[in-house]
Amino acid sequence: MIFEPTVLAATMPDLTVFQFNIVDNIFSMTVATMGAAALFLFLSRSTVDRVYQPALLVSGIVVSIACYHYFMIRSSWDGAYELLEGNYVGTGAAFNDFYRYADWILTVPLLMVELVAVIRLEKSKARSLLTRLVIAAGLMIALGYPGEVISSPEGWGTRVMWGALSSIPFFYILYVLWVELTASLSSQPPAARKLIEVSRLVLLVTWAVYPIAYALGGTEAALTAKAGGAVDPSGIVALQVGYALADMTAKAGFGVLIYFIARAKSTGQDGASAAGSGAYAGA
Amino acid sequence: MIFEPTVLAATMPDLTVFQFNIVDNIFSMTVATMGAAALFLFLSRSTVDRVYQPALLVSGIVVSIACYHYFMIRSSWDGAYELLEGNYVGTGAAFNDFYRYADWILTVPLLMVELVAVIRLEKSKARSLLTRLVIAAGLMIALGYPGEVISSPEGWGTRVMWGALSSIPFFYILYVLWVELTASLSSQPPAARKLIEVSRLVLLVTWAVYPIAYALGGTEAALTAKAGGAVDPSGIVALQVGYALADMTAKAGFGVLIYFIARAKSTGQDGASAAGSGAYAGA
């Protein structure tokens, strides 16, 4: 590993070879997915109208940040464990939960920006909307973190409290985005309408995974395992796998969707978009 | 190596210096080949008509993903072995087979996309075709993996079963692509026709290497070696070398072929293709 693992988070429960590896491999696959999405988004900019190019640029930056963080998350995971007599046991260094929160602090506001940029709201409206969304995103992440790092079964109630507090801005963001996306539909070209409906749904489904993963990683059994108790640590595995899958979909998948919306809305009349629109139409 | 090796797969059979090194070196060469192909495909986009640029972009992303994975594959291989009294023996960490499967999960669907994008099928047809191909690719990879990680001679029958199940979508994909490529020939410009015939053949020949490598790595001798038995582990070496050679041809080689097809089909009339078309024609 590149950096010495840090002890910002919890002690590590023993894992089976399978449990350790499913997390390790999904982290590696997330690095690859984010990197591939970054290449796609950066290099596709010239195929959409100039007005939509910033949306693709920001989307590409989001997955680049996530690519870096998953590389570090994986490095921290590998540094937190060693193989001992057929099981993975803690090295004494704890897995650093903060990488993921650092990632979210940077990328969630940018995800809002890329979405607002591609639906092209009127300027003053976009500003007010983004201000509210970015504040809510900051609150959501800041309130979730104190619960995330709790690692004893006695802390269960406290974790539930932080999770519940974090859910308030979480639901506010989803509500606002749903309402705004729905309201924007009438002003969108027909080709983009269906895609925006899809993105509304993708947002709802992928974001729903985060509280579920948070809850699975915060059961009494999972917290007991985190505290070193000899119970089933599968909740901890579920949390890591759930976050990784949700991040892949909500960042890389969503970024590709932003591309398709931008493409559908491009007229090709500003001299920047592709003559052959629809080249990916079947993808 | 960057990451501690993981143990998703098998224990490692002892290898001679020659056996270890042939695999180690072919992995390194694959990293170089994939990276070189990525540079070529990304930087050649402006030399074809705009409508074909997405095909080159996707091809470039495929080899970039493969470049990352072969780097990790090699790192895992190096971490799984140490030199001891003139032989390479296992360090206790197993070679991680999952990197290659993670690579295939991401790249095989994209290979379908690049092919469909360059032959430019009609939109609704492209969508239906890609849907079927991507589902088949997912099944092919998911059914192959359980057999890949078997590491005892008693598991031979089970490995054969998974290999056979995986072969059904494998042959389906090859059949569909062969039929579609053949059907598309009449609508292609003469210059591209011959290249598409070549790509049809390259597809068939390179893809044929995968089941052969899978079979060579799954003989009773190979499985006994994987289980730590003192038999000839050359099947395991053949599997790694075979997969690497096939990946180089099916991804980097095929990507370059996609470039030549795009080039042959480019008219230069959209203002995006090279003034000096044919600049690479003799290459």
Side-chain angles (χ1 to χ4, degrees), chain A residues 1-2 17-18 20-22 24-29 31-33 36 39-40 43-44 46-47 71 74-75 78 81 83 88 259 263 271-283, chain B residues 1-9 42 45 50-51 53-55 57-58 60-61 64-65 68-69 72 92-93 96 98-99 102 105-106 110 113 117 120 123 126-128 130-131 145 270:
Chain A
M1 103 223 87
I2 293 186
V17 168
F18 179 77
F20 173 85
N21 277 304
I22 194 167
D24 190 52
N25 281 302
I26 203 117
F27 285 164
S28 168
M29 204 170 152
V31 172
T33 303
L39 286 172
F40 176 76
L43 299 174
S44 289
S46 64
T47 67
F71 190 89
R74 188 175 186 224
S75 175
D78 290 351
Y81 277 104
L83 189 60
Y88 275 93
Y259 163 80
R263 185 93 184 181
S273 93
S277 70
Y280 278 109
Chain B
M1 106 219 89
I2 293 188
F3 292 105
E4 292 301 312
T6 56
V7 189
L8 230 192
F42 287 142
R45 282 181 306 143
R50 283 189 199 281
V51 287
Q53 293 182 2
L57 175 58
V58 175
I61 290 172
S64 301
I65 295 171
Y68 165 77
H69 280 120
M72 302 310 289
N96 186 0
F98 191 75
Y99 284 127
I105 289 168
L106 295 171
L110 293 175
V113 171
R120 292 211 86 204
K123 198 168 163 176
R127 187 170 305 174
S128 128
L130 271 179
T131 308
Y145 187 66
D270 67 353

Side-chain angles (χ1 to χ4, degrees), chain A residues 181-197:
Chain A
L181 285 174
T182 307
S184 79
L185 282 178
S186 59
S187 63
Q188 302 292 332
R193 225 167 276 169
K194 181 142 188 101
L195 286 165
I196 291 181
E197 282 173 11

Side-chain angles (χ1 to χ4, degrees), chain A residues 147-164:
Chain A
E148 188 78 80
V149 292
I150 285 171
S151 58
S152 73
E154 295 77 40
W156 182 81
T158 318
R159 183 172 166 117
V160 169
M161 184 200 69
W162 287 116

Side-chain angles (χ1 to χ4, degrees), chain B residues 4-192:
Chain B
E4 292 301 312
T6 56
V7 189
L8 230 192
T11 50
M12 307 308 294
D14 290 2
L15 296 180
T16 65
V17 169
F18 177 76
Q19 285 170 327
F20 173 85
N21 276 307
I22 194 168
V23 174
D24 192 51
N25 282 306
I26 202 117
F27 285 163
S28 170
M29 202 171 153
T30 309
V31 172
T33 303
M34 297 295 185
L39 287 172
F40 176 76
L41 291 163
F42 287 142
L43 300 174
S44 290
R45 282 181 306 143
S46 63
T47 67
V48 302
D49 283 1
R50 283 189 199 281
V51 287
Y52 299 114
Q53 293 182 2
L56 297 199
L57 175 58
V58 175
S59 306
I61 290 172
V62 164
V63 285
S64 301
I65 295 171
C67 187
Y68 165 77
H69 280 120
Y70 268 94
F71 190 88
M72 302 310 289
I73 284 170
R74 186 173 186 229
S75 173
S76 175
W77 182 256
D78 290 351
Y81 278 104
E82 61 189 338
L83 190 59
L84 204 74
E85 293 166 11
N87 266 305
Y88 276 94
V89 298
T91 55
F95 175 65
N96 186 0
D97 281 312
F98 191 75
Y99 284 127
R100 197 175 276 116
Y101 279 76
D103 180 70
W104 290 340
I105 289 168
L106 295 171
T107 58
V108 177
L110 293 175
L111 276 170
M112 311 288 154
V113 171
E114 71 184 62
L115 188 59
V116 168
V118 86
I119 56 179
R120 292 211 86 204
L121 290 176
E122 188 249 314
K123 198 168 163 176
S124 65
K125 182 155 192 189
R127 187 170 305 174
S128 128
L129 183 67
L130 271 179
T131 308
R132 285 180 287 139
L133 288 173
V134 168
I135 292 171
L139 282 173
M140 171 179 80
I141 297 161
L143 292 169
Y145 187 66
E148 188 77 79
V149 293
I150 285 171
S151 58
S152 72
E154 295 78 40
W156 182 81
T158 318
R159 183 172 166 117
V160 169
M161 183 198 72
W162 287 114
L165 286 175
S166 175
S167 297
I168 300 168
F170 171 84
F171 285 114
Y172 173 77
I173 293 170
L174 278 186
Y175 169 78
V176 167
L177 287 179
W178 185 274
V179 167
E180 287 301 329
L181 286 173
T182 307
S184 80
L185 282 177
S186 59
S187 62
Q188 303 292 333

Side-chain angles (χ1 to χ4, degrees), chain A:
Chain A
M1 103 223 87
I2 293 186
F3 294 107
E4 289 304 311
T6 54
V7 190
L8 237 187
T11 50
M12 307 308 294
D14 290 2
L15 296 179
T16 65
V17 168
F18 179 77
Q19 286 171 327
F20 173 85
N21 277 304
I22 194 167
V23 174
D24 190 52
N25 281 302
I26 203 117
F27 285 164
S28 168
M29 204 170 152
T30 308
V31 172
T33 303
M34 297 295 185
L39 286 172
F40 176 76
L41 290 162
F42 287 140
L43 299 174
S44 289
R45 281 179 307 143
S46 64
T47 67
V48 302
D49 283 1
R50 284 189 200 281
V51 287
Y52 300 114
Q53 293 183 2
L56 297 199
L57 176 60
V58 174
S59 306
I61 289 171
V62 163
V63 286
S64 301
I65 295 171
C67 184
Y68 164 76
H69 279 121
Y70 268 94
F71 190 89
M72 301 310 290
I73 285 171
R74 188 175 186 224
S75 175
S76 173
W77 183 254
D78 290 351
Y81 277 104
E82 62 187 338
L83 189 60
L84 203 74
E85 293 166 11
N87 266 303
Y88 275 93
V89 299
T91 53
F95 175 65
N96 185 1
D97 281 314
F98 191 74
Y99 285 129
R100 196 175 276 114
Y101 279 76
D103 181 71
W104 290 340
I105 289 168
L106 295 170
T107 58
V108 177
L110 293 175
L111 275 170
M112 310 291 154
V113 171
E114 72 184 61
L115 188 59
V116 168
V118 86
I119 56 179
R120 293 208 82 205
L121 291 175
E122 188 248 314
K123 200 166 163 177
S124 65
K125 181 154 194 192
R127 187 170 307 171
S128 130
L129 184 67
L130 271 180
T131 308
R132 286 180 286 139
L133 287 173
V134 168
I135 292 171
L139 282 172
M140 171 178 82
I141 297 161
L143 292 169
Y145 187 66
E148 188 78 80
V149 292
I150 285 171
S151 58
S152 73
E154 295 77 40
W156 182 81
T158 318
R159 183 172 166 117
V160 169
M161 184 200 69
W162 287 116
L165 287 175
S166 174
S167 296
I168 300 168
F170 171 83
F171 284 115
Y172 173 77
I173 293 170
L174 277 185
Y175 169 77
V176 168
L177 288 178
W178 184 276
V179 168
E180 287 302 329
L181 285 174
T182 307
S184 79
L185 282 178
S186 59
S187 63
Q188 302 292 332
R193 225 167 276 169
K194 181 142 188 101
L195 286 165
I196 291 181
E197 282 173 11
V198 171
S199 70
R200 207 173 51 172
L201 200 67
V202 167
L203 203 70
L204 205 66
V205 173
T206 60
W207 278 50
V209 178
Y210 293 103
I212 294 171
Y214 190 92
L216 289 174
T219 61
E220 275 201 68
L223 293 176
T224 309
K226 259 178 133 178
V231 296
D232 177 24
S234 59
I236 290 162
V237 172
L239 176 141
Q240 298 300 341
V241 172
Y243 280 159
L245 289 176
D247 276 342
M248 272 192 263
T249 324
K251 293 190 172 87
F254 202 70
V256 172
L257 206 51
I258 294 280
Y259 163 80
F260 280 114
I261 295 172
R263 185 93 184 181
K265 293 177 78 175
S266 289
T267 60
Q269 278 164 6
D270 67 352
S273 93
S277 70
Y280 278 109

